[in-house]
């Protein structure tokens, strides 16, 4: 009991660097370590956005890498965000609002329209209908859903690589899964099915005013706490932080209204925000995420931990507790 | 769109200070503001523990208030913790491990048993069987469960003040609710039902080594991310941080093995840890939490946001997203 306790569990998550001895029980880390190259999918640098904050007070660099959502989700806002990034609009803006167990938010943050930073040309007003992607019953398969909770089964279980999540909503027919590495929800109904991206820790969304079509993409937030499921379908999820979330989650919490920094000196300067394909080829951010059978196996093992540390498997997992493995590619 | 966006939603959560105009849709804040005094229950200062950290580098005080779990849960460890606090054992120890979206951990943190701080007399070795409270079928009612998910209903809904949560586990018959302000789970089976406390953001647990009976209560952690459901029944939850979690959640993340600070200067000194009833009467911490019909109404409204900001109610809520209202009592 003198050891840094919980250490092994966290280490297994944090440092999936060694293939596990075959005699040991599988862990999420051992599944990741054993994944073949074919189960790692490269993320196009054009779908990444690198936000460079001013160095911290010890002079350490602070870089936050965001992956933008793929079609068919939230593309109106994603296109606005590309326009803003290409215009270097965020350069010189700040992280101005941080609320514990809620969000860190950045952009212009100016209440007074007369003083607000002018937005670039070409931004769309995106209607709230785009929070959800309506389609026909084929949606789950089209979106890569591999399974859904059989709500009438007395013994739902992982089988044939299916990924099952119990929803945190009570709506009948609602299920949650992953689409190209992003957590999403789907809801079947009489005339088809709807799909939408959901909020988890590190998700990035478009802040807005009261009217649902007021978010341009200029003011963004990242979730730094427990998944705020109530925001889903009420606000646009546009991506997620895949590296550097700690540069947002460790910022001092704001003491002004709604967690805005009342002391302007606390605002964190944003040096630049760049799309990943703006720099020369050799300087582009290169990441990959786990998919395929290895990802299915990873979810199953994470949902049923039963190894050196864990004695009682949970028997299931919250979609936001999955934490898709993502790593830098080393050439 | 120039406003500090998401502001109203956050403000409503953060500052439940005004009763809402009757014409407006109810919000969690308006429910809290309208709650009668009878629905606020005082927390006995003897069940609180105040951890004073060294001031931050601007000299601001840092105090973390922890509420200990009530019987019948985790009482072996809770008693050890009372013994440690009465012995002032934590004075001079540190917060030595912080992992993003996981935990902040404190205590002695010494791997080398020869150098470890001696523990006080009288600590029990608590067996893993105490992670769960087995009892008969009356457990849900005895524990104050007011409702459970009717898994066979096509249209589960809030009714008659029942609080319904879909579980993040797939186990049949598993449900989650609140007991004296704490999130707990229950599992019915043929010969009775089991109950156990669960991990949410700000939950406090007993770190341990690989063997489940190795946690004394001397090394503790607080959750600073999405609920790690896999830890439930594998480690002892003993309480939760009710004030000052930001003094743990904003600490720099550790870069050593398992997130331990490799740079010892980052360790945050713990000045003192005191039970709430150690100081004179007038200096004791006084808090109260929401229960009764107001709490049931609060959960219902939080699960079905439909107000000035929210347009699409979620139709349900994750047990860890409820965030029981707690406030300081002002005499």
């Amino acid at each position: 009991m003198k050891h840094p306790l919980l250490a092994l569990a966290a280490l297994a998550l944090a440092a999936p660097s060694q293939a596990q001895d075959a005699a040991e029980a599988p862990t999420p880390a051992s599944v990741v370590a054993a994944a073949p190259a074919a189960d790692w999918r490269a993320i196009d640098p054009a779908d990444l956005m690198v936000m460079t904050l001013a160095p911290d007070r010890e002079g350490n660099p602070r870089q936050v890498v965001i992956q933008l959502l793929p079609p068919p989700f939230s593309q109106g806002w994603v296109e606005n965000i590309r326009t803003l990034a290409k215009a270097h609009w965020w350069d010189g803006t700040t992280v101005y609002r941080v609320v514990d167990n809620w969000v860190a938010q950045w952009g212009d943050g100016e209440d007074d329209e007369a003083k607000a930073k002018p937005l670039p040309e070409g931004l769309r007003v995106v209607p709230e209908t785009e929070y959800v992607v309506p389609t026909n019953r084929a949606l789950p398969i089209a979106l890569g859903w591999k399974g859904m909770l059989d709500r009438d089964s007395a013994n739902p279980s992982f089988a044939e690589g299916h990924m099952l999540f119990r929803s945190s909503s009570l709506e009948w027919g609602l299920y949650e899964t992953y689409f190209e590495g992003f957590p999403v929800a789907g809801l079947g109904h009489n005339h088809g099915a709807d799909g939408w991206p959901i909020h988890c820790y590190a998700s990035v969304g478009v802040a807005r005013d009261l009217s649902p079509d007021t978010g341009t993409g200029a003011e963004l937030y990242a979730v730094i706490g427990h998944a705020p499921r109530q925001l889903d379908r009420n606000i646009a999820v546009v991506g997620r932080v895949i590296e550097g979330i700690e540069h947002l989650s460790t910022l001092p919490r704001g003491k002004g209204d709604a967690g805005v920094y009342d002391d302007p000196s606390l605002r964190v300067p944003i040096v630049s925000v760049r799309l990943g394909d703006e720099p020369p080829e050799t300087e582009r951010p290169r990441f990959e995420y786990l998919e395929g059978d290895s990802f299915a196996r990873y979810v199953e093992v994470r949902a049923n931990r039963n190894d050196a540390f864990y004695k009682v498997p949970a028997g299931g997992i919250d979609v936001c507790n999955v934490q898709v493995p993502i790593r830098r590619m080393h050439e």
Side-chain angles (χ1 to χ4, degrees), chain A:
Chain A
M1 66 207 168
K2 304 305 187 303
H3 300 263
L5 308 157
L6 270 178
L8 291 167
L11 198 60
L13 278 173
S17 57
Q18 297 182 308
Q20 199 177 37
D21 188 283
E24 293 171 26
T27 64
S30 73
V31 172
V32 170
D39 282 349
W40 290 98
R41 179 159 163 189
I43 299 171
D44 186 341
D47 294 330
L48 296 175
M49 200 160 71
V50 178
M51 175 162 72
T52 304
L53 305 176
D56 69 16
R57 62 173 114 190
E58 281 80 26
N60 299 308
R62 290 189 282 192
Q63 201 175 69
V64 178
V65 182
I66 295 164
Q67 182 187 8
L68 297 170
L69 260 175
F73 299 112
S74 301
Q75 292 301 296
W77 295 282
V78 168
E79 283 311 309
N80 281 356
I81 287 166
R82 291 184 194 280
T83 300
L84 288 153
K86 284 175 187 165
H88 298 180
W89 185 82
W90 282 289
D91 298 15
T93 65
T94 63
V95 184
Y96 57 83
R97 177 186 178 218
V98 185
V99 183
D100 197 73
N101 195 17
W102 187 240
V103 298
Q105 188 170 322
W106 63 92
D108 185 31
E110 177 55 61
D111 266 337
D112 183 345
E113 289 208 32
K115 296 183 192 164
K117 182 170 184 169
L119 292 167
E121 296 289 316
L123 298 186
R124 266 183 69 199
V125 174
V126 189
E128 65 197 276
T129 49
E130 297 197 18
Y131 289 148
V132 169
V133 178
T135 183
N136 60 31
R137 279 203 173 274
L139 180 78
I141 290 159
L143 290 184
W145 265 280
K146 291 192 174 180
M148 58 181 286
L149 180 64
D150 177 2
R151 208 170 168 286
D152 298 320
S153 163
N155 288 299
S157 63
F158 289 98
E160 300 172 48
H162 288 193
M163 285 169 282
L164 308 179
F165 303 93
R166 284 187 76 167
S167 165
S168 47
S169 163
L170 291 169
E171 282 189 87
W172 191 87
L174 193 147
Y175 46 107
E176 295 163 346
T177 187
Y178 278 81
F179 173 66
E180 298 190 7
F182 281 90
V184 295
L187 180 62
H189 46 70
N190 288 341
H191 46 285
D194 294 334
W196 61 89
I198 62 177
H199 286 81
C200 289
Y201 187 87
S203 289
V204 174
V206 173
R208 64 164 171 84
D209 231 337
L210 287 182
S211 178
D213 67 356
T214 47
T216 58
E219 312 293 314
L220 295 173
Y221 62 88
V223 174
I224 58 165
H226 192 81
R229 189 65 57 247
Q230 68 270 31
L231 290 175
D232 299 344
R233 289 182 287 178
N234 281 290
I235 202 160
V237 178
V238 289
R240 60 175 163 183
V241 175
I242 62 169
E243 189 180 86
I245 184 67
E246 69 274 17
H247 301 309
L248 299 170
S249 60
T250 61
L251 293 176
R253 285 27 179 161
K255 295 194 185 341
D257 282 353
V260 170
Y261 289 133
D262 50 4
D263 174 359
S265 76
L266 287 174
R267 290 186 171 215
V268 181
I270 296 173
V271 175
S272 66
V273 174
R274 295 289 179 272
L275 287 174
D277 60 351
E278 183 170 323
E281 187 81 30
T282 54
E283 294 166 29
R284 294 179 181 174
R286 306 277 178 190
F287 288 84
E288 56 190 357
Y289 68 91
L290 194 65
E291 60 165 16
D293 290 344
S294 295
F295 179 57
R297 177 76 177 136
Y298 170 85
V299 174
E300 183 183 342
V301 170
R302 260 185 82 78
N304 296 285
R305 295 297 300 267
N306 190 6
D307 46 48
F309 187 85
Y310 291 90
K311 310 300 178 189
V312 182
I317 190 165
D318 181 304
V319 66
C320 284
N321 199 18
V322 168
Q323 300 167 31
V324 181
I326 298 178
R327 65 184 185 188
R328 275 189 180 264
M329 297 169 72
H330 297 286
E331 283 141 280

